[in-house]
């Protein structure tokens, strides 16, 4: 069976190395373990709804934990962690079962007298029993269970997106133990189903996994790279702590090891933060620094509230206050979520924007909120109460509405503007940059100048060390690659023409992905593993840190590649937006220049030999006509016309060269105009002869169009006859001998296309049809027919052309033409003129 296409690669077990296979099986087993634990704990937790309880929760050691509700009777009575319940109504209690027997025998709401050990003294306190409500369940089990599930989901997402890597395994281990710790917390304090064993394991291995993560993230320590086995040390310390805890619990002897695990947890958290700060301040890679920003930002969001509450708890103990830690579970989730984002996301372009926006608008909220509170207190104390006394409460809503409209909204608006200027001012003027580049590109007509303008603008505005463009040339199946970078110190910039193959794997990847790709994507994203080595090598060769594909009308045309910022900072979202705009403008400008060159080439090929309308039609149909920047070779059914002058060699011997050239130019202009006026294309001139095609360059798709080409060719020849009569009349006036011309016309298949180099190219037709038309022109040069004695033009056509003419012309069969290499003869016919209604056609 093949793997379903929609399943992530993590579910593929085919052809995996043994180590990876075992790892993935362990990954799924750990998930199943947590899911089973979650189900059991959830079912047990729901049995507590409507259950009578003491107004507080205790563990198996009968010690209260920082876990509960602030409205519970036990909290209100002042008992707190680590108080230990010794007696209930003078009855010794050593287990939850003993306590539940006392509670069951007491009506809900009636107090129970407890003897509580607090440190070395015993105190007595009366606490009414309560009924455990659904809201109590949400505030205790619900909060920690949700946090546990979030930890698990975050860890699974990271592992699925980046499977089998050291970082993803370390982070999944962190999330697994955090999830187990959170999910089993309620059972530890209430149900006592035995999940305390998993809870203690998590307590010991959370710091171990966090410390492991600090050794390899955001960037591996040099010590870790030199001695990979050091990554096992944190787990060894965790095992040293968990074994005595499991053996000694619930006896008091386990406490030193439990406290040591708490200290270990603090040390590991400090180590992770220290590792992140080291990366941030020691100028590591730009991606590592961006990851460090994310982690530090997550810590800044996640820990202040729990830290403040924990500090309050320390003070509160001495003041008789109680802190319930279950309410701190959700904010802490932000920290692993930030780490997960930093691990999975390769292009952290938006990090600075997120941080600035959060800090900026948080500052705005503080300013506006403080202002509101100050105005509120001032107005009430010094204005409303003195003026209105008891009626102040009735007047205040009206005054508040006026304050919102005329004071708070304007202040809020001004503060927001200030925050935007402070946190979101751009390092360059986006619109000005785009406008300047647009003006520059529209004024440039040379491809190399365009490339230079784009690279120069990007390097100047983004302050990057190097930038370059790779352009695809479909015609030559090659690439043009130009890169400009910094030279040595105090040296001018260096221009490099790199050799990039047309089928380069990086070009193929960008054409397929159709999106920006960084070297970090290649290094870390599993989907790029098959091309990681080849494309990574190309990135290194061109000195690029990111590459953006160039597309024009959904066609891949090249690549815009950038090096690193000279400031050492990472690219921002504004940078990427500017790059996308620049790439779009560049693609358009390059294609416009190419189109201009192609149009110039087309016009050079045709504009002198066809009417402007035909030339424009050729350009408008260039998609089917051009390929690789030159006319596409194609097989067409056309009518070919050849002309030649009879006796021109004799005339050239007796005529002044300049007068002869003037005469020849006049003759050629005249007959070329006849061709173009009838929709033909002048193919070539040779001496006093000319070749023309009817039916090119755009293919004819219907028989009516092919028939019309044949008719147009004969009409053009008849028009030439009339022009020859006028030309001979002028020659007679000048005392020059008259001229006669021969025309050969044949209809058939040809191969049409461009011949010659790019600099000297012409559009022509080749094939038997061309040869036959030429032979018809020279057929029996001394052939005399009655009408030819007075006509200066002899028009010979082939049988294939005659079939398309119908009854529009009067013709006469004149003989057969033998072609070299062919047994079949061609029947030749002479066109006498246009047919009248009764004129016969032979």
């Amino acid at each position: 069976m093949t793997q379903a296409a929609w399943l992530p690669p993590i579910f593929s077990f085919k052809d995996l190395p043994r180590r990876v296979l075992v790892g993935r099986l362990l990954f799924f087993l750990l998930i199943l373990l947590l899911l089973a634990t979650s189900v059991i704990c959830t079912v047990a937790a729901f049995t507590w709804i409507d259950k009578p309880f003491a107004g507080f929760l205790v563990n198996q050691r009968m010690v209260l934990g920082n876990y509960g509700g602030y409205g519970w009777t036990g909290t209100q009575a002042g008992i707190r962690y680590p108080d230990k319940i010794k007696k209930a109504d003078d009855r010794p209690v050593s287990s939850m079962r003993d306590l539940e027997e006392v509670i069951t025998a007491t009506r809900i709401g009636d107090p129970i007298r407890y003897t509580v050990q607090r440190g070395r003294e015993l105190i007595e306190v009366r606490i009414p029993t309560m009924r455990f409500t659904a809201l109590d369940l949400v505030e205790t089990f619900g909060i920690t269970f949700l946090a546990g599930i979030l930890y698990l989901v975050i860890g699974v997402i990271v592992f699925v997106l980046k499977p089998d890597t050291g970082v993803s395994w370390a982070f999944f281990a962190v999330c697994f133990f955090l999830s187990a710790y959170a999910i089993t917390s309620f059972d530890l304090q209430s149900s006592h189903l035995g999940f305390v064993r998993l809870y203690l394991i998590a307590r010991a291995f959370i710091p171990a996994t966090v410390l492991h993560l600090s050794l390899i993230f955001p960037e591996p320590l040099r010590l870790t790279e030199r001695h990979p086995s050091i990554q096992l040390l944190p787990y060894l310390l965790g095992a040293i702590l968990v074994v005595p805890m499991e053996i000694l619990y619930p006896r008091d002897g386990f406490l030193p090891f439990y406290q040591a695990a708490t200290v270990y947890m603090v040390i590991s958290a400090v180590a992770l933060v220290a590792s992140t700060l080291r990366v941030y301040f020691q100028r590591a890679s730009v991606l590592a620094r961006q990851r460090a920003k994310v982690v530090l930002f997550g810590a800044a969001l996640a820990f202040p509230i729990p830290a403040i509450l924990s500090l309050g708890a320390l003070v509160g103990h001495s003041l008789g206050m109680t802190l319930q830690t279950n309410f701190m579970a959700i904010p802490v989730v932000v920290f692993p979520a930030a780490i997960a984002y930093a691990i999975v996301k390769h292009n952290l372009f938006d990090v600075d924007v997120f941080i600035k926006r959060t800090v900026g608008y948080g500052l705005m909220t503080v300013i506006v909120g403080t202002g509101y509170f100050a105005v509120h207190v001032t107005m009430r104390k010094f204005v409303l109460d003195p003026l209105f006394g008891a009626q102040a409460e009735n007047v205040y809503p009206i005054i508040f509405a006026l304050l919102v409209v005329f004071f708070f909204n304007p202040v809020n608006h001004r503060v927001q503007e200030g925050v935007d200027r402070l946190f979101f001012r751009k390092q360059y003027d986006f619109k000005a940059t785009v406008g300047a580049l647009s003006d520059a590109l529209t004024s440039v007509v040379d491809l190399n100048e365009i490339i230079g303008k784009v690279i120069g603008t990007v390097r100047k505005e983004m302050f990057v060390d190097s930038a370059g463009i790779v352009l695809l040339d479909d015609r030559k199946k090659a690439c043009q690659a130009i890169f400009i970078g910094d030279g040595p110190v105090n040296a001018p910039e260096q221009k490099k023409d790199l050799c990039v193959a047309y089928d380069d794997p990086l070009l193929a990847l960008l054409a397929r992905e159709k999106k920006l790709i960084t070297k970090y994507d290649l290094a870390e994203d599993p989907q790029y593993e098959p091309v990681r080595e080849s494309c990574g090598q190309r990135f290194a060769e061109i000195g690029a840190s990111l590459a953006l594909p160039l597309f024009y009308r959904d066609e891949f045309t090249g690549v815009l590649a950038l090096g690193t910022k000279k400031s050492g900072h990472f690219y921002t979202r504004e940078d990427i937006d500017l790059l996308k705009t620049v790439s779009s403008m560049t693609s358009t400008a390059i294609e416009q220049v190419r189109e201009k060159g192609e149009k110039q080439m087309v016009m050079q090929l045709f504009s002198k030999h066809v009417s402007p309308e035909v030339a424009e039609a050729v350009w408008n149909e260039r998609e089917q006509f051009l390929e690789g920047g030159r006319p596409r070779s194609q097989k067409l059914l056309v009518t070919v016309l050849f002309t030649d002058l009879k006796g021109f060699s004799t005339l050239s011997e007796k005529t002044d060269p300049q007068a002869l050239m003037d005469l020849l130019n006049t003759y050629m202009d005249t007959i070329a105009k006849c061709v173009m006026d009838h929709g033909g294309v002048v193919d070539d001139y040779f001496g006093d002869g000319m070749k023309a095609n009817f039916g090119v360059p755009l293919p004819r798709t219907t028989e009516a169009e092919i028939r019309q080409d044949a008719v147009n060719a004969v009409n053009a020849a008849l028009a030439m006859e009339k022009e020859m009569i006028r030309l001979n009349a002028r020659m007679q006036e000048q005392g020059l001998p008259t001229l006669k011309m021969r025309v050969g016309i044949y209809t058939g298949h040809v191969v049409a296309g461009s011949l010659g180099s790019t600099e000297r190219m012409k559009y022509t037709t080749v094939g038997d049809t061309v040869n036959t038309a030429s032979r018809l022109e020279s057929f029996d040069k001394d052939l005399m027919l009655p009408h030819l004695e007075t006509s200066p033009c002899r028009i010979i056509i082939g049988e294939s052309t005659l079939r398309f003419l119908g009854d529009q012309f009067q013709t006469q069969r004149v003989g057969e033409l033998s072609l070299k290499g062919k047994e079949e003869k061609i029947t030749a016919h002479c066109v006498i003129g246009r047919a009248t209604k009764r004129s016969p056609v032979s």
Side-chain angles (χ1 to χ4, degrees):
M1 292 181 64
T2 58
Q3 180 189 358
W6 54 269
L7 286 176
I10 189 68
F11 292 96
S12 174
F13 294 92
K14 186 178 180 181
D15 301 327
L16 289 177
R18 181 182 180 86
R19 180 183 61 82
V20 175
L21 179 62
V22 172
R24 290 195 182 178
L25 291 175
L26 177 61
F27 169 73
F28 286 109
L29 287 174
L30 292 175
I31 293 175
L32 290 175
L33 172 63
L34 272 187
L35 291 178
T37 302
S38 301
V39 171
I40 298 171
C41 288
T42 301
V43 172
F46 270 85
T47 63
W48 271 67
I49 297 179
D50 289 333
K51 178 180 179 180
F53 81 112
F56 56 85
L57 298 177
V58 293
N59 59 30
Q60 286 180 257
R61 301 177 58 247
M62 301 307 293
V63 174
L64 278 76
N66 292 334
Y67 195 96
Y70 288 103
W72 288 1
T73 53
T75 307
Q76 298 294 320
I79 60 172
R80 58 189 182 273
Y81 174 83
D83 293 345
K84 185 173 184 178
I85 305 299
K86 303 296 289 184
K87 294 180 180 180
D89 284 341
D90 296 327
R91 176 179 172 179
V93 288
S94 59
S95 67
M96 191 67 184
R97 178 178 297 179
D98 295 339
L99 181 59
E100 286 181 346
E101 290 178 358
V102 176
I103 294 170
T104 304
T106 306
R107 289 186 307 175
I108 293 177
D110 288 349
I112 297 176
R113 188 175 69 257
Y114 293 96
T115 301
V116 178
Q117 181 179 347
R118 179 172 293 171
R120 295 184 178 181
E121 62 176 329
L122 294 177
I123 63 173
E124 288 191 356
V125 60
R126 298 173 64 86
I127 303 175
T129 58
M130 298 179 62
R131 187 178 299 277
F132 198 87
T133 66
L135 179 60
D136 294 326
L137 184 68
V138 171
E139 290 182 347
T140 53
F141 173 77
I143 291 177
T144 56
F145 180 79
L146 175 61
I149 294 300
L150 288 176
Y151 290 135
L152 178 61
V153 169
I154 292 170
V156 168
I157 289 175
V158 169
F159 195 87
V160 168
L161 293 179
K162 299 189 68 174
D164 312 316
T165 66
V167 173
S168 62
W169 258 118
F171 183 73
F172 174 73
V174 172
C175 291
F176 171 82
F177 288 114
L178 282 172
S179 179
Y181 184 83
I183 289 172
T184 58
S185 294
F186 186 75
D187 176 72
L188 175 72
Q189 306 287 342
S190 60
S191 307
H192 299 174
L193 297 178
F195 287 109
V196 64
R197 301 299 173 181
L198 180 56
Y199 177 91
L200 294 176
I201 292 174
R203 182 81 179 185
F205 282 101
I206 288 174
T209 54
V210 171
L211 187 57
H212 177 201
L213 188 63
S214 70
L215 295 174
I216 58 176
F217 181 83
E219 203 171 58
L221 294 172
R222 290 195 181 95
L223 180 64
T224 308
E225 292 177 336
R226 289 196 298 265
H227 306 286
S229 59
I230 199 174
Q231 298 176 65
L232 298 175
L233 183 59
Y235 298 96
L236 178 60
L237 294 176
I240 292 173
L241 292 174
V242 76
V243 171
M245 280 198 294
E246 292 286 355
I247 295 174
L248 298 174
Y249 187 84
R251 297 189 298 276
D252 290 342
F254 103 105
L255 272 176
F257 300 98
Y258 185 83
Q259 293 166 349
T262 303
V263 174
Y264 190 18
M265 191 171 294
V266 173
I267 292 173
S268 66
V270 171
L272 181 57
V273 173
S275 174
T276 305
L277 290 172
R278 175 190 62 83
V279 169
Y280 184 76
F281 287 109
Q282 287 188 357
R283 311 290 292 180
S285 71
V286 288
L287 179 62
R289 295 188 69 216
Q290 287 296 96
R291 286 175 168 168
K293 282 185 183 180
V294 176
V295 175
L296 293 173
F297 183 59
L301 290 179
F303 293 138
I305 294 177
I308 292 172
L309 293 178
S310 298
L311 180 61
L314 293 175
V315 178
H317 275 293
S318 60
L319 300 178
M321 297 172 57
T322 301
L323 174 70
Q324 307 295 10
T325 56
N326 45 291
F327 292 99
M328 297 191 300
I330 297 300
V332 177
V333 176
V334 175
F335 185 59
I339 297 176
Y341 183 80
I343 293 174
V344 171
K345 194 72 173 176
H346 312 111
N347 297 329
L348 297 171
F349 303 129
D350 291 319
V351 168
D352 293 323
V353 175
F354 291 156
I355 294 174
K356 289 177 180 178
R357 184 168 297 156
T358 303
V359 175
Y361 288 102
L363 178 62
M364 183 185 72
T365 302
V366 170
I367 293 173
V368 174
T370 304
Y372 165 75
F373 179 75
V375 172
H376 169 76
V377 172
T378 302
M379 288 292 296
R380 288 297 301 269
K381 186 172 183 179
F382 298 104
V383 179
L384 297 181
D385 289 344
L387 290 177
F388 299 100
Q391 296 298 318
E393 289 294 334
N394 299 326
V395 176
Y396 181 73
I398 301 174
I399 301 298
F400 178 76
L402 294 175
L403 284 173
V404 168
V405 173
F406 295 106
F407 180 75
F408 291 119
N409 281 344
V411 169
N412 181 67
H413 181 69
R414 292 296 178 87
V415 172
Q416 182 169 339
E417 286 182 345
V419 169
D420 287 341
R421 285 196 299 270
L422 178 64
F423 288 98
F424 298 101
R425 62 181 184 272
K426 293 172 183 170
Q427 297 176 354
Y428 47 80
D429 191 325
F430 188 99
K431 291 184 179 180
T433 302
V434 172
L437 183 60
S438 177
D439 293 340
L441 293 182
T442 54
S443 63
V444 174
V445 295
D446 181 73
L447 188 59
N448 288 330
E449 282 190 62
I450 288 178
I451 295 175
K453 288 283 186 184
V454 172
I455 294 176
T457 299
V458 170
R459 294 189 68 231
K460 176 184 176 183
E461 298 298 337
M462 292 189 173
F463 206 53
V464 295
D465 57 3
S466 65
I469 291 180
V470 180
L471 295 182
L472 273 67
D473 189 338
D474 289 331
R475 182 184 60 195
K476 298 179 181 179
K477 300 298 181 185
C479 292
Q480 177 185 4
I482 299 177
F483 281 79
I484 298 177
D486 293 337
V489 179
N490 298 324
E493 61 186 19
Q494 295 180 339
K495 180 178 178 181
K496 297 184 291 184
D497 293 326
L498 299 178
C499 181
V500 179
Y502 183 81
D503 57 351
D504 188 273
L506 179 59
L507 300 183
L509 176 65
L510 289 164
R512 183 177 69 250
E513 294 294 314
K514 297 183 178 181
K515 65 179 182 180
L516 181 148
I517 294 178
T518 70
K519 64 180 182 181
Y520 306 113
D521 292 321
L522 290 174
E524 300 189 6
D525 197 328
Q527 68 170 318
Y528 298 130
E529 186 172 358
V531 296
R532 180 169 296 159
E533 183 176 354
S534 58
C535 292
Q537 182 179 355
R538 176 57 68 191
F539 258 99
E541 289 173 355
I542 64 179
S545 61
L546 63 83
L548 190 69
L550 302 178
F551 279 89
Y552 183 73
R553 294 176 181 172
D554 292 329
E555 182 180 352
F556 180 63
T557 58
V559 174
L560 173 63
L562 273 69
T564 58
K565 283 192 168 186
K566 296 180 182 179
S567 64
H569 294 156
F570 202 65
Y571 288 95
T572 66
R573 176 52 56 188
E574 288 98 345
D575 296 331
I576 302 308
D577 291 340
L578 178 62
L579 283 177
K580 289 180 178 178
T581 303
V582 169
S583 69
S584 177
M585 295 170 61
T586 303
S587 300
T588 302
I590 289 172
E591 290 308 310
Q592 285 176 345
V593 169
R594 283 178 169 175
E595 283 188 1
K596 188 173 183 179
E598 289 179 353
K599 186 171 186 178
Q600 186 177 7
M601 179 269 297
V602 170
M603 293 306 173
Q604 287 176 347
L605 284 176
F606 298 108
S607 60
K608 293 182 180 179
H609 308 308
V610 299
S611 66
E613 293 78 14
V614 173
E616 193 64 32
V618 170
W619 175 247
N620 292 335
E621 298 295 331
R622 62 186 178 278
E623 293 295 333
Q624 61 171 321
F625 177 68
L626 296 178
E627 181 178 30
R630 63 190 300 162
R632 178 188 291 113
S633 298
Q634 49 190 335
K635 190 174 184 180
L636 305 175
L637 185 58
V638 304
T639 298
V640 183
L641 180 151
F642 274 85
T643 72
D644 196 16
L645 286 176
K646 182 181 179 181
F648 183 77
S649 299
T650 303
L651 177 65
S652 63
E653 295 174 359
K654 301 178 181 180
T655 308
D656 177 72
Q658 185 61 46
L660 179 68
M661 190 61 66
D662 293 341
L663 173 64
L664 187 59
N665 285 332
T666 301
Y667 162 74
M668 289 296 184
D669 287 343
T670 300
I671 63 173
K673 187 175 185 303
C674 294
V675 170
M676 290 186 284
D677 288 346
H678 290 84
V681 177
V682 176
D683 186 320
D684 200 5
Y685 298 101
F686 33 87
D688 57 339
M690 183 188 72
K691 173 190 173 187
N693 301 302
F694 293 80
V696 296
L698 302 178
R700 303 318 196 220
T701 57
T702 65
E703 185 174 342
E705 291 176 334
I706 298 170
R707 185 185 304 278
Q708 189 62 51
D709 286 333
V711 172
N712 288 345
V714 175
N715 279 333
L718 291 174
M720 292 176 191
E721 184 179 34
K722 291 181 180 180
E723 294 297 330
M724 284 298 296
I725 293 174
R726 296 190 186 97
L727 181 61
N728 281 337
R730 291 199 300 269
M731 292 178 68
Q732 284 180 339
E733 293 175 357
Q734 299 173 14
L736 296 174
T738 58
L739 296 172
K740 286 182 178 278
M741 69 181 298
R742 297 185 301 270
V743 178
I745 302 174
Y746 193 73
T747 302
H749 285 96
V750 300
V751 175
S754 58
L755 289 179
S757 64
T758 305
E759 291 75 20
R760 296 180 59 86
M761 187 190 308
K762 73 170 185 174
Y763 186 80
T764 188
T765 55
V766 295
D768 286 343
T769 296
V770 177
N771 297 332
T772 303
S774 177
R775 294 290 299 276
L776 286 170
E777 174 270 314
S778 61
F779 172 72
D780 194 357
K781 295 183 179 181
D782 296 324
L783 174 68
M784 292 299 296
L785 295 174
H787 80 283
L788 294 179
E789 294 179 1
T790 58
S791 174
C793 183
R794 188 194 78 174
I795 305 170
I796 302 295
I797 64 174
E799 190 77 34
S800 61
T801 303
L802 182 63
R803 288 197 297 268
F804 286 111
L805 298 180
D807 58 358
Q808 297 186 50
F809 301 94
Q810 183 181 0
T811 62
Q812 179 179 345
R813 185 178 184 278
V814 296
E816 292 184 337
L817 174 67
S818 296
L819 296 178
K820 184 178 180 180
K822 290 194 174 185
E823 296 181 1
E824 185 179 355
K825 294 183 177 182
I826 302 297
T827 302
H829 299 263
C830 185
V831 177
I832 299 174
R834 293 183 181 279
T836 61
K837 291 184 179 180
R838 296 184 176 223
S839 60
V841 179
S842 60

